[in-house]
Amino acid sequence: MSGVLQAGLLKKDQRVKDTVLVKLLESLICSICHDLMFVPVMTQCGHNYCYDCLSSWFDSNSNELSCPQCRASISDPPSLNSVLQQWLVHIIELVGPDEDSEEFKTLLSAKESSEKSYRFDEKNDLFGGVFKTSAMGVVDEDDDGILRCSNCHWELEDDVGDTCPHCNSRIRSRMSQPRRGGFEDEEDEEDGDEDSETGSDMELEDDISRSLVHYRLRVRELADTLRRDRGHNDRQLFMQGTTAAGVPFYFPDYALYLSTDYSLSEEERSRRLRLVRNLESELEEDSPNSPGHGHTHSYFNPRTHNHQYEDDEVSEDTDHIDMDYDDDRDDMDDMDDDHAPRDDPEGGIIDLEAEVDEDEDEGSGRDSAESGHDSDYYERHDGGFVSGDSLDDAPVGEDALEDEEDEDQEDQEDQEEDNSDDSHDRQESSHRRKRFHVVLDSEDE
Amino acid sequence: MASLPKRIIKETERLASDPVPGISAEPHEDNLRYFAVTIEGPEESPYENGVFELELYLPDDYPMEAPKVRFLTRIYHPNIDRLGRICLDVLKNNWSPALQIRTVLLSIQALLASPNPNDPLANDVAEEWIKNEELAISKAKEWTKLYAGKR
């Protein structure tokens, strides 16, 4: 086949041949430095750059490694494009004997130094080691919804910098995309501003689910700060307020949070609110067992949506969908109990400690039966399997925090204590627990 | 100052030899990283027939860092504030070293053609734009005549 093309091209007049030659030379030009690529490297999305140029772009933009041309996120180290490199070498060899200008000498020395710098880095760390020591921040909604380092699964708190406090990996794409890979991230980002205003409801739902993850982290952080700063060990209250219309509200309410986000246009706000409400009512229909609490408490409800979208994307999860979905809904019901003002002895103020107790309780039931490998989170990260025990090595001072957040990874001992303490809570949610056990049984088979 | 990177020299040459229609960019004699820019208002936009002056500066890290661009001519636009600062993604988070002076200026020209009051920088302008688009557009035309008239 190539013969046809070659013969056809040779028959063309000089102008066409020149065009082809110019195009060929253009393909050897780096779009960052606009000069010849002596050491061309190709990203996983197929774009070529000088090794040095791409390396300094990664260096200056290391939070989110992306391709300069198509903005696709880059997770694998770009590799040497030896075909392009050879082309350039051929051309230089053909031209070389007739050239002894200063410019050509400069070109040769530039080539030499580019190759030298690549060879040096090849022996040490290519791209300044960004691919060796970096990790992504991942959130597993099926597990505990905590942002974690993809390398060691250490919990990443909002106030730590760009590196994981446990394994010192640099965290790329921190916070911005909970657990989605490659191109999709980038497309979302590119669509960015325009699409958040005009995108389809599906996209908006994704957007809301993601905002919710951020929101939850922030609320948790607030709760932790309150607890730490005021030194209370007793019950800690959450915020309460009143809307302009005189309706009382409780802070962990996502719909309300959204309705006060004035960076959005009014139309957009009401559109998003409508979506959140829809997600809420879907949940209500889905779980007839859930207690009939007020509609304002939608804080955790959009999580159902999260499941749907994650399940769609991660096909190897299929076996676990039913289990995860149900058991998480239990979780949500429990949470919602806590946030429903009518259940609260303190006159409608949200009680954070109650939430914590409930979580511990929940965690105990789950772990004893599932021996620590319930979560598909760990299964997805081959080679990085972390058992529940390793998480219990945390400093004593953080116990409360761990208890609250690592509901799935409680130590067996702790659970037995909790079991006796929380027998009351246990009864309250026994109908849910039953359902939970049934699911576990099927899992065991 | 460090010597001028080859890329900047090439870009400057190409801007002169192969200019973008409706856009001009010339480096300052004393500082080759500082450009005097003019952009013609796009046809069928409220800025039609206006010629807007801007300044563009290439920071030391360019092209790893976006150029700094600012309107010098006053303009009534929801994404451009009173100081001439521009709210445009490619000048901030969405900068990429594969972009260049000419593509940035084209993006700004496109922004003139399609104002986005939902992502405002000049809040008062954006509010008026949403409330009464007709009035806002006529005001933008008026300002164009007033401040961006052809010399």
Side-chain angles (χ1 to χ4, degrees), chain A residues 106-122:
Chain A
T106 319
L107 184 148
L108 287 179
S109 77
K111 174 172 175 286
E112 192 58 40
S113 83
S114 300
E115 287 169 354
K116 208 170 146 189
S117 111
Y118 180 77
R119 277 197 301 270
F120 178 81
D121 282 6
E122 208 178 12

Side-chain angles (χ1 to χ4, degrees), chain A residues 32 34-35 56-57 68 71, chain B residues 6-7 10 64 94 96-97:
Chain A
I32 297 180
H34 295 190
D35 216 329
S56 45
W57 168 239
R71 296 211 173 94
Chain B
K6 220 171 168 184
R7 157 157 174 171
K10 282 194 174 180
M64 298 310 161
N94 272 346
S96 141

Side-chain angles (χ1 to χ4, degrees), chain A residues 114-307:
Chain A
S114 300
E115 287 169 354
K116 208 170 146 189
S117 111
Y118 180 77
R119 277 197 301 270
F120 178 81
D121 282 6
E122 208 178 12
K123 281 187 199 124
N124 299 283
D125 273 333
L126 280 177
F127 299 103
V130 286
F131 293 98
K132 260 192 176 169
T133 59
S134 73
M136 308 273 264
V138 292
V139 173
D140 188 359
E141 282 299 319
D142 298 345
D143 186 6
D144 55 9
I146 306 289
L147 185 75
R148 292 180 183 281
C149 167
S150 67
N151 187 38
C152 67
H153 299 172
W154 194 259
E155 181 180 333
L156 300 171
E157 291 187 54
D158 258 353
D159 52 353
V160 298
D162 279 345
T163 52
C164 169
H166 185 241
C167 67
N168 275 331
S169 296
R170 202 176 34 71
I171 303 300
R172 295 182 272 124
S173 41
R174 187 182 162 73
M175 305 297 291
S176 50
Q177 299 107 9
R179 218 186 77 193
R180 295 181 73 185
F183 286 78
E184 287 164 65
D185 290 348
E186 282 311 317
E187 276 159 21
D188 284 351
E189 211 173 78
E190 261 180 87
D191 295 341
D193 293 338
E194 300 84 35
D195 264 28
S196 65
E197 298 297 331
T198 56
S200 70
D201 282 8
M202 274 285 276
E203 282 164 330
L204 194 51
E205 281 181 34
D206 276 5
D207 190 14
I208 286 174
S209 307
R210 242 172 295 165
S211 312
L212 186 64
V213 173
H214 293 220
Y215 178 73
R216 290 180 60 205
L217 283 167
R218 211 154 312 143
V219 169
R220 279 194 199 218
E221 196 184 43
L222 176 73
D224 290 338
T225 314
L226 281 173
R227 209 176 339 186
R228 209 165 38 230
D229 289 356
R230 301 206 189 152
H232 284 215
N233 282 329
D234 52 344
R235 308 188 133 201
Q236 190 66 64
L237 308 178
F238 241 150
M239 280 159 133
Q240 185 185 21
T242 318
T243 62
V247 180
F249 72 83
Y250 307 93
F251 189 69
D253 175 350
Y254 190 64
L256 189 93
Y257 168 72
L258 202 61
S259 67
T260 55
D261 185 0
Y262 290 110
S263 65
L264 300 167
S265 69
E266 205 178 322
E267 192 189 46
E268 189 61 16
R269 270 208 306 277
S270 53
R271 180 158 164 250
R272 288 177 181 221
L273 267 173
R274 203 181 60 237
L275 275 166
V276 172
R277 302 275 190 227
N278 284 349
L279 289 166
E280 245 183 283
S281 55
E282 266 174 43
L283 179 86
E284 209 98 46
E285 287 161 21
D286 279 355
S287 50
N289 285 341
S290 91
H293 48 68
H295 272 271
T296 44
H297 301 277
S298 56
Y299 172 26
F300 286 95
N301 293 2
R303 287 182 73 182
T304 40
H305 169 70
N306 255 352
H307 286 287

Side-chain angles (χ1 to χ4, degrees), chain A residues 16-17 41 114:
Chain A
V16 177
K17 288 179 195 165
V41 290
S114 300

Side-chain angles (χ1 to χ4, degrees), chain A residues 29 31-35 49 53 56-57 60-61 67-69 71 189-190 193-194 197 263 265, chain B residues 6-7 10-11 61 63-65 89-90 93-100 116 118-120 130:
Chain A
I29 299 290
S31 63
I32 297 180
C33 66
H34 295 190
D35 216 329
Y49 308 94
C53 288
S56 45
W57 168 239
S60 70
N61 199 30
C67 173
Q69 275 177 66
R71 296 211 173 94
E189 211 173 78
E190 261 180 87
D193 293 338
E194 300 84 35
E197 298 297 331
S263 65
S265 69
Chain B
K6 220 171 168 184
R7 157 157 174 171
K10 282 194 174 180
E11 277 200 63
D61 273 348
M64 298 310 161
E65 200 182 309
D89 60 346
V90 293
N93 299 335
N94 272 346
W95 169 252
S96 141
L99 296 171
Q100 33 177 316
N116 179 6
N118 291 323
D119 182 21
I130 292 168

Side-chain angles (χ1 to χ4, degrees), chain B residues 123-139:
Chain B
N123 281 317
D124 47 337
V125 178
E127 220 168 275
E128 277 199 53
W129 212 281
I130 292 168
K131 250 193 285 176
N132 189 344
E133 196 174 339
E134 244 171 68
L135 188 75
I137 287 175
S138 75
K139 206 161 172 184

